[in-house]
Amino acid sequence: MPEPTPAARPTLEAVATRAGVSRATVSRVVNGGAGVRQPLVDKVRRAVEELGYIPNHAARTLVTRRNGAVAVIIAEPEFRIFSDPFFEQQVRGISRELTVHDSQLVLLWVEGPGEYDRIARYLGGGHVDGALAFSVHNDDQLPSVIHRTRVPVVFGGRPGWAGGRGEPAVPYVDADNRGGAREAVRHLVALGRSRIAHIAGPRDQASALDRLDGYRDAVTPHTGPALVAQGGFTVESGARAMAELLERRPDLDAVFAGNDLMASGALRVLRERGLRVPEDVALVGFDDMASVAERTDPPLTTVRQDIEGMGRLMVRLLMRTIGVNAGPGAAGAAPGSVITPTELVRRASA
Amino acid sequence: MPEPTPAARPTLEAVATRAGVSRATVSRVVNGGAGVRQPLVDKVRRAVEELGYIPNHAARTLVTRRNGAVAVIIAEPEFRIFSDPFFEQQVRGISRELTVHDSQLVLLWVEGPGEYDRIARYLGGGHVDGALAFSVHNDDQLPSVIHRTRVPVVFGGRPGWAGGRGEPAVPYVDADNRGGAREAVRHLVALGRSRIAHIAGPRDQASALDRLDGYRDAVTPHTGPALVAQGGFTVESGARAMAELLERRPDLDAVFAGNDLMASGALRVLRERGLRVPEDVALVGFDDMASVAERTDPPLTTVRQDIEGMGRLMVRLLMRTIGVNAGPGAAGAAPGSVITPTELVRRASA
DNA sequence: TTGAAAGCGCTAACAG
DNA sequence: CTGTTAGCGCTTTCAA
């Protein structure tokens, strides 16, 4: 037996030989078959089938410089990010859209700054065509680490430092937090409320700041005074903030919470104090997190964002960036970021 | 300007030229530097540093046939798998251990049988060195699809069909469900209970069957009659099963639930009926899911499994398989599966 | 339309 | 210990 090889995977060459054509022709057929006469196409297809040929990825990448893979970078500090339904939906969107683009999702789980080196090496090594990262805290070095690898990247959520000092322009996809907040408060105003308070999210997260801005946009001296308490996007912080608000302004008649979790905390406190929702105090949340907003009593009126859609958009943006970079334009040409619209969902709380 | 090239990534060649050595030497240094004299090593290192050289992945893979990447295959049917704390821990273990082995985690999200083709192509294309998959329902075609690609694979959880008819032997990592169940029931027996019931998990999941077997092992005619109700691993199903059990055997004095979720459902029913736990009915769960077991009232006595450890083990097993396959042994040589021990955690419910 | 040939960047014998 | 020399499997001009 001259060939003890168990089952070496067939190469282009093998297919070519079997089909009686050149490697070039096989390559053409495999890549769409444009410009090859039908009989040959058929012959090649048959050979591919019979041999069970599958193109070798590495070889292809080596010459095309394309990988068909995109990294999704997850920074661990974002605590139980996996359990976060928000995150799950976004990744689902990303995954689906990536499939459409025939690309693979490579998950990069970063447990801390100690691993930034590994990430840089991975990104720099050309394993992926681009990266998707999520808005991180302002002082994090990760964005700049990513940036230095020169791998195209799109952020999920407006990075707090976007547009800052010498910061490079980064493309990102974010919901219209400000507009959504504005709409929420206007709804409250339309309901005839005039003492509308806001429970704000953490000061180091852009989404929280944007929602606060939206609240400020809508609450004019005309509609009533601004009244803000600080929360931290958790149920407990929402409860605390609500208590504080009640102390400062016992006669408030509406609350716009920075997210559904805080709204549910606020709701609890409101009921403990014997205040009826929405009769005495109208309440609006943000996110439309199903596991929360639909299950409170009364169900929450809130602002919905298309999370899965945002994930898909991140991919589209990235793909465009990659396309652009392949062309004559230099790497700096960041395609504009995208702000997706939000929608007020009316339930019973306001 | 003869060189309009913006910033072509430096190659081995460039480093070699700069350091005044051959490509081979640079390659050696980059790959550990064994067998190269110190002065040269230093020179090369410096050149690498100055040029910001990063090895090209594709080129390396093309010749070494190794990828430094492992696929984690997730079948969507497993509903909100991301939100499942169990899953999160396992993936965390996998991710950490992969880092140790200098390998990357590639997430393959399969939304349904329609995508099996894509998966097969990906796996077959040599993108990854191996795959990790989770126990799926008995009738799923995914395992066989994976198997056909000849990519080494390790399963998380004993596949229901393992050891079946013509099924190939697949290596898997699983907790000692049977042993753990046995221990749980023996604990109940030691407590003096003699009418011990079991709420079983779904009949098509190996873990549920194994726990049932463990229960049967420990409940002998000597200790009392077997009494089993069917549940589905959810809180609600646990409650229903408990009600049924109470109907069939109002005087039962202990319950071993197939998991913590069902135990908490059972607990609720028990209290509704005015039965005290553990005084009237002792209760033991399984999993030690922190978000459940520690928060019930009373906290659940349960069986803990080292989930993150199982994730790590899956990777180690896979790495060994890959190593073996690289050697003379044929691809079929599946290294033995691993059953990890469980541990009874005593809290207040039993 | 098809084929021949030249690499992509790297590793791995094999010499020296 | 170091350099030379072949490729790994594929795409892509360039001719024919």
Side-chain angles (χ1 to χ4, degrees):
Chain A
M1 280 182 196
E3 287 286 34
T5 327
R9 285 221 344 239
T11 68
L12 245 206
E13 178 85 55
V15 178
T17 306
R18 174 147 197 144
V21 299
S22 72
R23 270 151 55 202
T25 298
V26 177
S27 176
R28 290 182 188 113
V29 172
V30 169
N31 293 293
V36 179
R37 238 176 316 210
Q38 198 53 42
L40 276 201
V41 171
D42 292 343
K43 251 204 288 205
V44 172
R45 290 249 162 85
R46 206 169 316 126
V48 165
E49 190 65 34
E50 291 166 355
L51 262 31
Y53 169 75
I54 298 181
N56 177 301
H57 176 64
R60 181 177 274 176
T61 296
L62 186 56
V63 33
T64 60
R65 270 100 205 308
R66 287 206 77 252
N67 248 300
V70 166
V72 169
I73 304 173
I74 296 169
E76 174 71 358
E78 309 299 315
F79 231 51
R80 310 182 44 81
I81 194 160
F82 260 95
S83 323
D84 186 347
F86 195 94
F87 178 74
E88 176 178 8
Q89 281 181 64
Q90 198 139 343
V91 172
R92 166 173 287 123
I94 289 172
S95 172
R96 292 196 171 143
E97 187 68 24
L98 241 22
T99 300
V100 170
H101 290 269
D102 242 319
S103 249
Q104 254 311 307
L105 188 168
V106 176
L107 195 71
L108 256 36
W109 194 328
V110 195
E111 302 221 37
E115 300 200 320
Y116 288 179
D117 242 45
R118 177 173 68 91
I119 298 304
R121 234 178 315 130
Y122 188 81
L123 257 25
H127 288 70
V128 295
D129 298 325
L132 261 20
F134 297 93
S135 170
V136 278
H137 295 278
N138 297 345
D139 54 343
D140 200 304
Q141 286 300 301
L142 191 53
S144 94
V145 167
I146 297 175
H147 191 256
R148 233 170 296 141
T149 65
R150 297 168 161 281
V151 169
V153 59
V154 169
F155 279 85
R158 178 169 72 81
W161 39 267
R165 308 153 297 171
E167 299 296 354
V170 291
Y172 62 85
V173 172
D174 205 349
D176 183 9
N177 287 301
R178 185 167 185 162
R182 208 152 40 203
E183 193 183 353
V185 177
R186 285 197 182 135
H187 172 63
L188 258 10
V189 170
L191 252 28
R193 309 292 165 142
S194 59
R195 294 176 297 282
I196 306 171
H198 176 51
I199 299 180
R203 269 187 281 264
D204 66 342
Q205 290 195 223
S207 63
L209 295 177
D210 290 349
R211 290 169 199 180
L212 174 57
D213 284 342
Y215 165 77
R216 291 227 164 92
D217 289 346
V219 168
T220 64
H222 183 69
T223 61
L227 181 58
V228 179
Q230 186 64 45
F233 273 169
T234 64
V235 176
E236 270 321 307
S237 72
R240 267 196 306 277
M242 189 67 246
E244 180 197 327
L245 248 17
L246 249 16
E247 196 130 320
R248 284 163 54 190
R249 199 78 154 80
D251 64 337
L252 57 76
D253 59 8
V255 175
F256 165 51
N259 74 351
D260 289 347
L261 253 20
M262 295 195 297
S264 82
L267 184 58
R268 197 185 72 211
V269 169
L270 252 12
R271 312 190 87 205
E272 282 169 9
R273 306 290 169 95
L275 263 12
R276 291 167 307 164
V277 174
E279 293 82 354
D280 301 323
V281 178
L283 179 63
V284 179
F286 206 110
D287 282 348
D288 193 27
M289 199 182 265
S291 57
V292 178
E294 292 175 0
R295 302 199 185 161
T296 55
D297 176 24
L300 245 37
T301 287
T302 185
V303 181
R304 171 184 301 162
Q305 28 186 338
D306 177 12
I307 306 174
E308 179 173 331
M310 289 170 61
R312 305 190 89 117
L313 234 29
M314 286 175 71
V315 173
R316 292 211 201 104
L317 218 54
L318 183 64
M319 290 304 173
R320 209 186 312 156
T321 312
I322 293 170
V324 166
N325 283 355
S337 297
V338 178
I339 305 295
T340 66
T342 57
E343 175 199 3
L344 185 72
V345 179
R346 288 210 55 181
R347 295 213 180 81
S349 74
Chain B
M1 284 184 192
E3 286 286 33
T5 327
R9 285 224 341 242
T11 68
L12 245 206
E13 179 84 53
V15 177
T17 307
R18 175 146 195 147
V21 298
S22 74
R23 270 153 52 202
T25 298
V26 176
S27 176
R28 290 181 188 114
V29 172
V30 169
N31 292 293
V36 179
R37 241 179 316 212
Q38 198 53 43
L40 275 201
V41 172
D42 293 342
K43 251 203 289 203
V44 172
R45 291 249 162 85
R46 206 169 316 127
V48 165
E49 190 66 31
E50 292 166 354
L51 263 31
Y53 169 76
I54 297 180
N56 177 302
H57 176 64
R60 183 178 273 176
T61 296
L62 187 54
V63 36
T64 61
R65 269 101 207 308
R66 288 206 75 252
N67 250 299
V70 166
V72 169
I73 303 172
I74 296 169
E76 173 73 356
E78 310 298 315
F79 231 53
R80 312 184 42 80
I81 195 157
F82 261 95
S83 319
D84 185 347
F86 195 95
F87 178 74
E88 175 178 10
Q89 281 182 64
Q90 198 138 341
V91 172
R92 167 173 286 125
I94 289 172
S95 171
R96 291 198 170 139
E97 187 68 23
L98 241 23
T99 300
V100 171
H101 290 270
D102 243 320
S103 249
Q104 255 314 308
L105 188 168
V106 176
L107 195 71
L108 256 36
W109 194 326
V110 196
E111 303 221 37
E115 300 202 318
Y116 288 179
D117 240 45
R118 177 174 68 92
I119 298 302
R121 234 178 314 131
Y122 187 80
L123 256 26
H127 289 70
V128 294
D129 298 325
L132 263 19
F134 298 92
S135 169
V136 279
H137 295 279
N138 298 346
D139 53 342
D140 199 306
Q141 284 302 302
L142 191 53
S144 93
V145 168
I146 297 175
H147 190 256
R148 232 170 296 140
T149 65
R150 296 170 161 278
V151 170
V153 58
V154 169
F155 279 84
R158 178 168 73 80
W161 39 268
R165 308 152 298 171
E167 298 297 353
V170 292
Y172 62 85
V173 172
D174 205 348
D176 183 8
N177 288 301
R178 186 166 185 164
R182 210 154 36 204
E183 193 184 354
V185 177
R186 287 198 180 133
H187 170 64
L188 256 12
V189 170
L191 251 31
R193 309 292 166 142
S194 57
R195 292 176 298 282
I196 307 172
H198 176 50
I199 300 180
R203 269 186 278 263
D204 66 342
Q205 289 195 224
S207 63
L209 295 178
D210 290 348
R211 290 170 198 179
L212 174 57
D213 284 343
Y215 164 77
R216 292 227 164 92
D217 290 346
V219 168
T220 63
H222 182 69
T223 61
L227 183 57
V228 179
Q230 186 63 44
F233 273 168
T234 65
V235 176
E236 270 322 307
S237 72
R240 266 195 307 276
M242 187 69 247
E244 178 197 327
L245 248 16
L246 249 15
E247 196 129 320
R248 284 162 53 191
R249 200 75 155 83
D251 64 337
L252 57 77
D253 58 8
V255 174
F256 164 51
N259 73 353
D260 289 347
L261 253 22
M262 294 195 298
S264 83
L267 184 57
R268 196 184 73 209
V269 170
L270 252 10
R271 312 190 87 205
E272 283 169 7
R273 305 290 168 96
L275 261 12
R276 290 167 307 161
V277 174
E279 293 83 351
D280 300 324
V281 178
L283 180 63
V284 179
F286 207 111
D287 283 348
D288 194 25
M289 201 182 262
S291 57
V292 177
E294 293 175 0
R295 301 198 185 161
T296 54
D297 177 23
L300 242 40
T301 288
T302 185
V303 180
R304 171 184 301 161
Q305 30 185 337
D306 177 12
I307 305 174
E308 179 174 331
M310 288 169 59
R312 306 191 88 117
L313 235 30
M314 287 174 72
V315 173
R316 292 212 202 102
L317 218 54
L318 183 64
M319 290 304 172
R320 209 186 311 154
T321 311
I322 293 170
V324 166
N325 282 357
S337 298
V338 179
I339 306 295
T340 67
T342 57
E343 175 198 4
L344 185 72
V345 179
R346 289 210 51 181
R347 295 212 180 82
S349 74

